[in-house]
Each structure stands twice: as structure tokens, then as C-alpha cells.
Amino acid sequence: MALDEKREKSASFTPMMIEEDAALRNGSRGLSGQWADAVGVRPRTTERHITVHKRLVLGFAISILALLVVTMIAVLLSVRFEECSTAAAADSPARASGNGSLPGAARLNHDAGEPPGRQEEAPGEEEEWQRRRQPPPWTQLRLPRHLRPLHYNLMLSAFMENFTFCGEVNVQIECLNASRYIVLHAHRVHIEAVQVAEDKLSGAVRVSSFFLYPQNQVFVVVLNRSLEAQRSYNLKIIYSALIENELLGFFRSSYVLHGERRFLGVTQFSPTHARKAFPCFDEPIYKATFKISIKHQATYLSLSNMPVETSVFEEDGWVTDHFSQTPLMSTYYLAWAVCNFTYRETTTKNGVVVRLYARPDAIRRGSGDYALNITRRLIEFYEDYFKVPYSLPKLDLLAVPKHPYAAMENWGLSVFVEQRILLDPSISSISYLLDVTMVIVHELCHQWFGDLVTPVWWEDVWLKEGFAHYFEFVGTDYLYPGWNMEKQRFLTDVLHEVMLLDGLASSHPVSQEVQRATDIDRVFDWIAYKKGAALIRMLANFMGHSVFQMGLQDYLTIHKYGNAARNDLWNTLSEALKKVGKFVNIQEVMDQWTLQMGYPVITIMRNETADNIVVISQEHFIYDIDAKTRDPDLGNNSYLWQIPLTIAVGNTSHISSEAIIWVSNKSEHHRIAALDETSWLLGNINQTGYFRVNYDIRNWRLLIDQLMRNHEVISVSNRAGLIDDAFNLARAGYLPQNIPLEIIRYLSEEKDFLPWHAASRALYPLDKLLDRTENYNIFNEYILKQVAAMYLKLGWPTNNLNRSLVQAAYQHEELRREVIMLACSFGNKHCHQQAATLISDWISSNRNRIPLNVRDVVYCTGVSLMDEDVWEFIWMKFHSTTAVSEKKILLEALTCSDDRNLLNRLLNLSLNSEVVLDQDAIDVIIHVARNPHGRDLAWKFFREKWKILNARYGEALFMNSKLISGVTEFLNTEEELNEYDQALQD
Ligand SMILES: [Zn+2]
């Protein structure tokens, strides 16, 4: 799953928000809520007793009669169970359920008479467990382990005209320990009937009662007798539910084609939402095979993980698609869709058919062609890298207008939000192309890491997300070999970014214990993704890339179609090292990095008397040093890591090859060869390690001198690393503030993008911090001076990028863009004039000649400096453009205004989802909050509209938390904090 990542594009964007059919949405949730509430248990037919002294003949006659009745019931039942898939089309699925008079099949009664909110447990069941002094199995947070699913047969009918669906699921289950209970997940579905039978035999196991237990989102079937161990059974459930107007489970969204609104239904099951679409064992460890059939109107098409095997057309305009059976897989990456998209396709050299499905107008324009093309190449790349072929006959990429995440890696049917997959080459910037590319590389990596081999449980979600995030850089390097993504861009976009978060006292370990379903969304955070990726990169570097790759090949081969925990990975990688004669206990090393939060700062101090002896010490790096005195857990020195510290010695023209020192104690002495008075030391070569390095001041001065004299002796990644370490060490009080500012003095000679990028990322927060202080002007002048020379040297891009040049020009164009952005943000007059000229030319000629790669900077600068007419012009363009990339930057530009009335107008308009897409609305609010003129407006808006926002995003927690952290990023005062608490409680 790819989270919606925004690479920082410009310093001061403003945001906005949304309001739409919150009422409708509440309505629909209310309905399903009522369903859940009204589901009650119908008393089972009472046992009848027949007196023993009836005559034998009568007894015999009754037996025959009973047999006949049972046979008839069985026939009736089978007809009844056909109902969902065959008859339901004519008969809306929202129909009242049967009256429960069918014996044998248990039915839920949801008469209006049931009091809402009542517990649905079977009468007597709970007392029974209380007597045994044991908690009932359905009250456990995890499913009881006595059953496991082997195969699901799922037949669905989707009714797009009223957004409902019904289904019949047959689960073949194996009983591991005898029990009278079947407990599986189901949430917000309406169960109509349940039947249990011994597998392959006709003998039914009588259902005593069944009920939903909403607290744990489970469904419980109580049987009259125990299921026996080592036998398998068939569980049949008929149910119905809504195709919700929210972003989880089986949900709907829409788009406009030729002035007409069209709807589609699509699923998002990860991590715990498959249970909203069908009753299932919804934990990743329960892998099973799935056979899915979907019945829908013939005007739509349906898609699922596997290809369609057969389609059966009916005369009434309905069609049933039967999909091939899946390999063993978990529920969270199962998927289906019902839509009327069109597609383009390609085939890999191993015969995997790749299709991209999207709105017909986007397909016609060719907006999916870039994604389709790189997907084919990337499948070939991964097959070669992992030495494991792609597992399914096809892969569909589905571009949907609305989705809670950037994308989801469903096996064979990956779903992307349009802005992360559609690309119009004539109007996309490099950074947009990079975003699209990396999201696709990420989801494709999951086809192996996640889908083929699945983490055992969500605490190790980083095992799949960390890998997918790391491979975003490795895979992009395959597509664009000159870009050095893994060696360079990884540093600013992942390592520096996550060390900011993980240096807070409130951070958490990358492996997080989690049990409750409603907490599971929260483990998908930047610590799991970015720290996971940074740790994997450190591991790959200290193992050596080729051994690491061999280890991954073994890991995937051993665990394919199964589950694996972190220790399985560590063991396989230790074995791989052993094969090349190295003995490192990877588990011992990595447990310290994954089970402890935060990271160390290493300090290298020279011994004053003996120049070639250094003292290397480690401590837990934390921004708020006082937190260690307040919190004994943080302060008790128990945080230690085994650190693969690489180190090199340099002088004016030369740097030594690196040596590795494993640092595992609080403080250690080491002898460094060739270290003399004039040479400097550099730690963490190419910043492959997940830690910071500090030195004595003399060494910092030597490094600064070296940068000023000949910076190229130190690698690009280390130049960026020194800048980031220095600014952050100073921020946390480990280093005087003048050191980082002295380091960036050499930038006027820096021709590489990465050190500039590292510097600008450190400078923008400092700019905000110093804003309105007396020293601000000095700081501002100083930065402008550093930028001026390079700004003059590079100038502005003169024309649009030629796609064929992108690869070679990437470094140069990204550097030019970075410098222009700094110049315009810090108030370079020429930069402002140039932006205004370009905007004026666009307005007067109605031809947009603004170079693609700096459009966002120009739009934002124009809106913030020029009058209201420019804002109106951009607003108009936002409406008229159809290209998603352009739409996004136009919208962000609108948040750059200084005019509070305009910002307010934008905030209010953003709640209208006809105007601003749901996921974009969040960006609008966050960007308004980042604009100094809009901060309090966004905050006020957030407080006033909290209920609407919360109702709209509901369980899509990540979006909510992104919104909350975005808006509260700039809260400073106690009063604001209180208001914030109050808003969330209301
Ligand atoms: Zn992912």
C-alpha cells in the first residue's frame, strides 16, 4: 500500500477542504448500523419428544415421513441458497429476509421490533462460559486458532443502481481442535442464512444459533455438536450489504463522462476491511484459495485478482463472470471491481498480460501509456532480481478517481488513485513523473513482498512496506540508471525525513504490537515505511548488495505462497552470509534497530595526546534533551545499538577507502591508521547507516575547510549527509548553531542537486522558526547571498523539457528548480519579477509557456504577489483543465494567496466534492495551514468542520491523521492546544 506522499515542492503553499454528501454518507452508515443492531437471534425450534410407547408401526411411518420431509427441506434449501446469485437481480437484495421458517438453515431475524443496540449474543452462551470461568472465544481480539479456512467460493451480485450487493460464501474449513463454535470476521454485513455441513458428505451439522459480535467485528456460529479435529467442513453464509459511499470495504465512487455521472464499485480490504465485503477469516495468516463469481448488469465489466474463466449472459441484461481460482493468499489483497472503464494492454516477455483500466477519456488520451510501459519493464526487472516469476497470469492496474491511499497492491488487480498513475507527458513535471513512477515500482514490489510472501501479523507491516519503499529507489534506478535514486535521493526523501520523526520523544519502534482491529490502520505510518526502508538499506550495505540479493531470493523461494515473520528473514539472510564465509547474527543486530524506537548519535572524539586514537561513543539521539530527564525510560541509558560504523580519513586532495567498525558499547577506543593532525575523519560513508555522526569541533572545522577548498573529495551523499546532520545536531543542542550555517557557505560552488536539496529542507523550517524575530533579516540576507551566485549561473529553463532528455537532464533540471524555489521563497527580486512576467504572458496570450518543471513555483509565487485577478485566473484554469497533474498544482497555487478572503473562500469551496476531490481537499487545508496568512483560518475551519471531516474520512484513519498533523504542525500556544483537544472531543 502506498501512502499519499507529497514531495516538498514549494515552501509556502496553502490548503483547503471539502464538504459534500456527509449527510448522505451518515445516512448510509446509519442504515448498516441499524442492520447490525437489529440482527437478533431467533430461538431455534424446540426439541420434540416422542413418547416411547407408541406403536412400532406408527414409529416406522413417522421415520419414513421424517425422511421425506428432510429430503424436501434439503431441496428447498439448495433453491433458497441459489437465491442470491440467480434470483436476486429481479428481487432487490435489500428485500426483507425470509421468515426463518426453513428448518435446517438458520436465519437471522431482523424484525423492526428488535431494540437497537442490543447485544446479539445467543441467550445462555455467555452464562455457559462464565460458569467455565473462561472468556468466550468471540471476545478475544484475535480469532481463535481451532479452525482454518482452506478455500472460499464467493458468489456476488452487485446492484449498481441502488448500491447494494448480496453474496453467498462457501468456506471449506479445517478443524484443528474440536469446538462447537465457528468464529470468523464479519462487519456491517447483514447475515441472512447460515448452514454447516461435513465436507463432501451430505450430513449437516445443526446450527444452534448465530450472532454478530460488533465489538470485535466477528460473526459467531454456535453448533449443536462439536466439529471434530482433522476433519473439514463447509460453512455456507448468505448475506447482503451496501456498496458504501466511503473509501473502505466494497465502495463506490464516480466520475463524469460526456456530462453524465458514471459510477464504479471497487474494493479496499487492507488491512481489515475484507470483513465488510464478505464473512471471512480476515487475518493475514489465514491463507486460502478463492474462487470468485460476480454477477452484474452487462453494461458494466467486472475485474478481480484472476482472469475471467467464463462469462454467462442472461436474457435480462445481466452477466455472471466466473474468475479462475487464486493461489493461496490472504484476504487483505483480494479485490474486485465493477466499472465501465476501457483499457490498453501489453505483454511481458514471460507472457504476463498487463492491462491498464481507466476512464475511457483518459485511455483515449493515452494518459495510461507511461504506467503501462514501465509496469511491463518492472515485472521483468523484479523477476530477474528476485529469481521468482510473477505468480499470476495477468496484472491489471486500475486508475480510480477516489481512493484512501495512493495505491493498493492487490495481487493481479492493483488499484491506484488517478493522480498516482495517469500522466500526460506533454504537461507533467519531473517530480510528477517521479511520483507516478515510484508508486508503481512500490506496488509491483508488493506482488512479491506482501502478496507472494506475507507478514504473519501487522506488527511487522514494515516487512512488506519497508521493502516496497526501499525498492521504489532500486526499481527507479533500473528505469533511469543515471538518477542515482538509491544512493542519493533516498537520503533526502527517506532517511533525513524519517530521522526527523524518529528523533522525537514520542516515536515508537518500527515493530509495533497491535491487536485491536481499529488500531491496525495506525501501523501504516512513516516509521513503518521510511524507517523500515532505511534499516533495509543499512542491512543491504553492510551485507553487501549481491549477498543481500541472494538472501532475498532464498527468502522468497522458501516462503512463497506462505507467511513469514521478521526472524524468518533474519535467519535466511544470516544463512546467505554464511555461504560467503561471513558469520553475523543478523537477528541479534536487527532486533535492536526494530524493537527499540529512535536511533543513535555517534560521537567521534580525537584523543588530545595521541592523534590516531579516537573515542567513539553512542547515545539515543533526541531533539528534546529535557525529555530524557522527564522520562526515566528514555534517560536510563538502556538504549544501545550494534552500529556498523564506516569510517574514512581524508586530507586536502584524497580520502581513504572506508573501514567498518562495529560499535556496540556506550563508549569505545579505536586506533585509526593514517590519522594525523591535518587530516579529518568522516563517519557513515555515503550515509548508508541509520544514525547521525558528531565530531569534536576541530574535526568539524577541518571538514568545513575541505568543503570550501575542494568539496568533491567528499562524496555527494556525504555532503548532503553532513548538512543534514549538522543542522539537526545543532537543533537538538549537540552542536553550536554557527557550524551548520558555516557548512552551507560552500554551496555557491555546489553543482550537485542533493546537497542543495538537503540544505533547503533544513532551511525552510529554520525560516519559519526565525520568522518575525529580530535576527530574521540577517538570516534571510545570508541565505539569499548563498543562493544568488548559483541562481545567476543556472538561470531559468527556457523551454519545455524534451522527454528524451529527461534522463540526462534530471540532475541539472532538479538543481535549477531547487535554486529557483529557494530564490523565490527567500525574496530574490529577479525571481519574483520573472514569475510575474511568465504569469502575465500566460494571461494575455492565453498560452501557457511556463516551463513544466517550475510551474508550481511560478503559480504559487504569482498568486502570492499579484492581485486577485491572478487568483481568479488560476481558479478558472483549475476548473477547465482535465490533466490531473496540472489540476493538482493549480489547486495548491490557490492556497498561496496573502488574501484572507480568498483563502476562506477556498476553504469553503473545498468541502464541495463536485469541485475538489476528497483526497485533494485534505491537501488544501494542510497547505492553507502552512501559509502564514492562512494558518489561523485553516485552524478555525478545521475546528468548525471537524464533524463533517470526521464523518467523511471516518475510518480512513491515515487521511485523518495526516490532516490533523498537517493542521496542528504550527500550533504553538497552550490556548491553541486546548482548543484542539476540545475540537476533537466535541
Ligand atoms: Zn505498500
Side-chain angles (χ1 to χ4, degrees):
M1 202 148 75
L3 302 182
D4 203 16
E5 174 159 28
K6 273 203 62 54
R7 282 182 178 77
E8 283 306 321
K9 287 183 184 124
S10 111
S12 57
F13 278 10
T14 12
M16 268 182 359
M17 228 14 274
I18 321 171
E19 160 157 51
E20 75 148 334
D21 36 18
L24 176 61
R25 189 176 173 286
N26 279 342
S28 64
R29 175 173 282 190
L31 180 52
S32 79
Q34 279 167 21
W35 279 4
D37 291 339
V39 168
V41 178
R42 211 164 183 283
R44 313 268 65 260
T45 49
T46 51
E47 296 293 328
R48 278 195 213 157
H49 300 280
I50 300 169
T51 48
V52 287
H53 50 267
K54 294 277 181 195
R55 279 184 297 175
L56 276 175
V57 170
L58 185 58
F60 181 72
I62 285 170
S63 307
I64 296 290
L65 210 64
L67 197 65
L68 277 171
V69 169
V70 166
T71 310
M72 281 171 67
I73 286 164
V75 169
L76 268 172
L77 254 180
S78 70
V79 169
R80 201 66 197 167
F81 277 124
E82 291 294 312
E83 203 170 73
C84 174
S85 43
T86 59
D91 177 5
S92 160
R95 69 198 186 280
S97 70
N99 60 11
S101 61
L102 282 174
R107 264 174 194 280
L108 275 188
N109 178 353
H110 57 125
D111 291 346
E114 284 286 340
R118 192 195 128 194
Q119 262 320 303
E120 293 91 4
E121 282 167 46
E125 284 303 327
E126 185 142 28
E127 289 81 349
E128 165 76 21
W129 285 91
Q130 273 169 4
R131 262 199 309 281
R132 290 200 222 166
R133 293 172 184 255
Q134 279 176 358
W138 54 89
T139 60
Q140 310 293 304
L141 293 176
R142 298 283 299 272
L143 292 180
R145 296 294 180 108
H146 63 275
L147 297 174
R148 75 185 178 105
L150 302 173
H151 176 74
Y152 293 80
N153 237 324
L154 179 59
M155 287 172 279
L156 298 163
S157 302
F159 305 97
M160 296 299 288
E161 72 283 6
N162 63 0
F163 305 120
T164 58
F165 69 104
C166 68
E168 173 188 321
V169 62
N170 282 275
V171 198
Q172 190 196 352
I173 44 182
E174 182 187 3
C175 179
L176 304 172
N177 293 302
S179 170
R180 278 178 58 224
Y181 300 92
I182 298 174
V183 183
L184 73 168
H185 287 106
H187 190 48
R188 288 162 50 174
V189 295
H190 169 56
I191 308 278
E192 296 189 0
V194 179
Q195 191 185 42
V196 179
E198 285 193 36
D199 203 30
K200 299 186 180 98
L201 298 170
S202 55
V205 182
R206 200 153 160 211
V207 172
S208 157
S209 67
F210 56 87
F211 55 92
L212 287 159
Y213 187 73
Q215 289 93 324
N216 287 345
Q217 307 181 352
V218 293
F219 176 64
V220 184
V221 181
V222 185
L223 301 167
N224 263 14
R225 66 172 171 87
S226 279
L227 302 179
E228 292 167 41
Q230 271 75 59
R231 296 184 85 152
S232 71
Y233 297 85
N234 185 64
L235 167 67
K236 180 182 280 194
I237 300 173
I238 293 189
Y239 67 98
S240 56
L242 299 180
I243 303 173
E244 296 271 7
N245 184 24
E246 62 169 25
L247 301 172
L248 302 167
F250 183 23
F251 69 92
R252 66 184 190 261
S253 68
S254 67
Y255 58 97
V256 175
L257 185 69
H258 309 311
E260 194 188 310
R261 184 157 294 280
R262 302 224 179 159
F263 289 91
L264 64 138
V266 66
T267 57
Q268 168 62 32
F269 289 166
S270 173
T272 57
H273 310 292
R275 63 194 68 172
K276 290 173 183 156
F278 68 109
C280 58
F281 294 78
D282 198 10
E283 293 182 4
I285 190 75
Y286 292 112
K287 286 201 169 183
T289 52
F290 293 81
K291 184 121 180 44
I292 295 180
S293 308
I294 300 177
K295 176 171 173 163
H296 55 85
Q297 283 156 301
T299 48
Y300 287 86
L301 62 91
S302 75
L303 298 168
S304 184
N305 306 77
M306 298 298 286
V308 172
E309 220 166 46
T310 52
S311 292
V312 179
F313 288 84
E314 287 163 26
E315 283 172 6
D316 57 2
W318 288 74
V319 58
T320 305
D321 292 324
H322 299 277
F323 295 90
S324 308
Q325 179 168 317
T326 70
L328 281 173
M329 63 183 290
S330 311
T331 45
Y332 79 83
Y333 50 91
L334 193 76
W336 61 78
V338 177
C339 60
N340 34 37
F341 283 173
T342 52
Y343 68 88
R344 284 198 186 164
E345 80 172 31
T346 181
T347 308
T348 70
K349 63 174 186 249
N350 288 343
V352 178
V353 178
V354 183
R355 284 183 180 174
L356 186 134
Y357 284 86
R359 287 184 278 132
D361 48 333
I363 291 292
R364 210 173 316 119
R365 256 203 326 268
S367 305
D369 294 357
Y370 173 75
L372 193 61
N373 176 35
I374 64 168
T375 298
R376 177 181 51 74
R377 294 179 56 203
L378 286 165
I379 290 178
E380 292 165 2
F381 161 71
Y382 283 123
E383 288 186 331
D384 187 51
Y385 187 100
F386 294 137
K387 297 279 177 284
V388 175
Y390 176 73
S391 324
L392 308 180
K394 63 96 178 173
L395 172 61
D396 294 330
L397 312 174
L398 185 64
V400 299
K402 205 163 89 163
H403 198 263
Y405 306 96
M408 174 62 209
E409 70 265 21
N410 311 311
W411 214 7
L413 176 57
S414 293
V415 180
F416 298 74
V417 69
E418 287 176 348
Q419 290 97 321
R420 288 294 182 270
I421 191 165
L422 299 183
L423 178 145
D424 186 339
S426 64
I427 46 168
S428 297
S429 64
I430 292 179
S431 52
Y432 185 83
L433 176 124
L434 201 54
D435 280 352
V436 166
T437 306
M438 293 176 86
V439 169
I440 294 168
V441 180
H442 179 111
E443 301 313 325
L444 290 179
C445 178
H446 277 316
Q447 306 295 310
W448 285 263
F449 272 92
D451 296 355
L452 184 62
V453 177
T454 310
V456 167
W457 179 241
W458 298 110
E459 68 175 334
D460 278 332
V461 71
W462 71 273
L463 262 188
K464 75 179 181 82
E465 295 304 346
F467 271 100
H469 200 43
Y470 175 65
F471 271 94
E472 284 177 32
F473 295 82
V474 179
T476 305
D477 276 340
Y478 169 77
L479 297 171
Y480 301 100
W483 290 15
N484 281 329
M485 298 295 291
E486 195 267 347
K487 284 198 164 47
Q488 298 191 9
R489 194 68 187 251
F490 186 92
L491 300 186
T492 47
D493 291 13
V494 181
L495 190 72
H496 299 173
E497 182 99 10
V498 72
M499 284 204 287
L500 274 177
L501 290 174
D502 205 19
L504 300 174
S506 57
S507 189
H508 60 76
V510 71
S511 284
Q512 291 192 77
E513 260 197 47
V514 60
Q515 296 288 329
R516 194 174 291 282
T518 47
D519 292 338
I520 288 172
D521 285 280
R522 289 189 201 141
V523 303
F524 290 83
D525 67 2
W526 287 134
I527 296 289
Y529 281 66
K530 291 185 185 285
K531 184 174 180 177
L535 296 181
I536 288 159
R537 180 167 172 270
M538 177 164 75
L539 181 65
N541 275 287
F542 79 68
M543 286 182 70
H545 283 270
S546 61
V547 185
F548 173 74
Q549 184 180 347
M550 271 164 19
L552 295 189
Q553 291 166 358
D554 292 346
Y555 170 77
L556 289 172
T557 306
I558 295 169
H559 299 285
K560 61 186 174 188
Y561 305 107
N563 298 78
R566 56 177 182 270
N567 287 348
D568 297 315
L569 177 67
W570 305 149
N571 294 339
T572 316
L573 293 181
S574 291
E575 286 299 315
L577 271 177
K578 219 181 274 175
K579 283 185 203 163
V580 295
K582 290 189 191 166
F583 298 88
V584 180
N585 185 336
I586 300 220
Q587 183 185 338
E588 201 181 290
V589 176
M590 293 309 290
D591 275 357
Q592 292 174 325
W593 295 92
T594 61
L595 305 180
Q596 291 186 123
M597 74 169 202
Y599 56 87
V601 48
I602 284 219
T603 306
I604 307 176
M605 306 283 279
R606 284 196 218 203
N607 190 316
E608 289 300 322
T609 52
D611 241 336
N612 59 351
I613 300 286
V614 294
V615 180
I616 301 178
S617 55
Q618 61 163 304
E619 69 175 293
H620 180 191
F621 175 89
I622 209 152
Y623 285 104
D624 177 8
I625 288 182
D626 295 340
K628 288 196 186 176
T629 39
R630 283 198 308 271
D631 181 350
D633 278 352
L634 285 176
N636 68 3
N637 291 343
S638 64
Y639 280 72
L640 277 182
W641 289 264
Q642 287 194 52
I643 305 164
L645 173 67
T646 44
I647 200 161
V649 176
N651 57 37
T652 47
S653 59
H654 175 259
I655 185 165
S656 71
S657 58
E658 64 186 76
I660 186 163
I661 297 174
W662 282 92
V663 180
S664 47
N665 298 303
K666 195 109 199 88
S667 181
E668 302 175 359
H669 286 74
H670 290 272
R671 181 178 300 276
I672 309 288
L675 186 63
D676 62 33
E677 204 171 321
T678 55
S679 52
W680 39 263
L681 264 172
L682 185 67
N684 200 6
I685 302 308
N686 296 324
Q687 250 205 339
T688 53
Y690 185 67
F691 49 88
R692 298 194 185 281
V693 185
N694 196 6
Y695 311 92
D696 52 64
I697 292 292
R698 193 178 89 184
N699 198 65
W700 277 111
R701 294 250 172 254
L702 288 167
L703 287 166
I704 291 169
D705 284 352
Q706 182 65 56
L707 290 172
M708 293 299 290
R709 223 175 310 162
N710 178 7
H711 61 263
E712 286 178 351
V713 171
I714 297 171
S715 73
V716 176
S717 348
N718 270 125
R719 298 195 304 263
L722 281 171
I723 291 170
D724 187 66
D725 272 353
F727 273 97
N728 286 286
L729 288 167
R731 188 183 145 193
Y734 291 90
L735 196 62
Q737 283 288 354
N738 60 309
I739 296 288
L741 290 175
E742 284 178 41
I743 283 190
I744 58 168
R745 271 176 60 211
Y746 94 96
L747 278 180
S748 48
E749 296 299 318
E750 177 60 82
K751 293 185 218 50
D752 270 292
F753 162 70
L754 197 74
W756 276 100
H757 195 45
S760 75
R761 289 172 38 87
L763 289 171
Y764 290 128
L766 208 56
D767 180 52
K768 289 208 174 76
L769 203 69
L770 295 173
D771 189 19
R772 288 175 278 183
T773 66
E774 55 189 52
N775 291 328
Y776 183 72
N777 279 344
I778 303 171
F779 170 74
N780 198 60
E781 288 298 316
Y782 179 74
I783 302 304
L784 276 178
K785 203 170 133 232
Q786 302 309 314
V787 174
M790 193 53 74
Y791 175 78
L792 271 179
K793 194 187 290 179
L794 295 173
W796 280 67
T798 47
N799 47 24
N800 285 342
L801 293 169
N802 178 336
R803 277 294 134 192
S804 62
L805 288 178
V806 163
Q807 194 154 333
Y810 162 77
Q811 280 278 350
H812 187 69
E813 291 302 327
E814 286 296 89
L815 174 61
R816 174 143 64 184
R817 169 193 159 73
E818 192 74 50
V819 170
I820 288 174
M821 200 151 67
L822 276 166
C824 271
S825 307
F826 281 86
N828 178 302
K829 292 211 167 50
H830 181 272
C831 193
H832 285 179
Q833 277 160 9
Q834 182 69 15
T837 308
L838 286 165
I839 295 264
S840 302
D841 171 65
W842 183 17
I843 295 175
S844 59
S845 68
N846 204 25
R847 278 189 59 203
N848 189 346
R849 286 181 280 233
I850 304 169
L852 290 175
N853 220 28
V854 291
R855 276 192 181 176
D856 54 347
V857 186
V858 172
Y859 296 173
C860 183
T861 308
V863 164
S864 74
L865 298 176
M866 298 164 82
D867 60 21
E868 193 177 332
D869 291 350
V870 170
W871 195 93
E872 296 290 352
F873 178 76
I874 299 279
W875 176 246
M876 183 188 82
K877 290 291 174 190
F878 166 70
H879 280 286
S880 61
T881 188
T882 47
V884 286
S885 60
E886 184 71 1
K887 229 179 167 62
K888 198 164 170 63
I889 61 171
L890 286 165
L891 183 62
E892 286 172 0
L894 292 166
T895 69
C896 297
S897 175
D898 289 358
D899 185 329
R900 294 167 59 81
N901 289 330
L902 292 175
L903 292 176
N904 242 337
R905 191 172 137 201
L906 191 61
L907 283 169
N908 286 309
L909 284 166
S910 70
L911 277 186
N912 181 347
S913 59
E914 295 290 313
V915 183
V916 177
L917 288 171
D918 285 7
Q919 61 260 29
D920 291 346
I922 283 183
D923 286 339
V924 170
I925 298 181
I926 293 171
H927 281 123
V928 172
R930 282 186 189 160
N931 178 343
H933 302 278
R935 203 187 93 180
D936 60 313
L937 295 178
W939 173 229
K940 184 160 164 277
F941 183 80
F942 174 81
R943 283 199 324 264
E944 286 173 6
K945 308 292 182 190
W946 167 245
K947 280 192 183 138
I948 296 171
L949 296 170
N950 193 37
R952 175 183 287 191
Y953 297 111
E955 290 178 70
L957 266 176
F958 187 82
M959 297 181 81
N960 254 331
S961 60
K962 176 178 154 189
L963 175 64
I964 291 167
S965 61
V967 174
T968 56
E969 197 176 327
F970 304 108
L971 293 185
N972 294 328
T973 67
E974 190 83 0
E975 190 190 350
E976 285 171 332
L977 194 67
N978 290 338
E979 285 175 357
Y980 168 73
D981 288 342
Q982 193 60 44
L984 297 193
Q985 282 161 17
D986 284 350

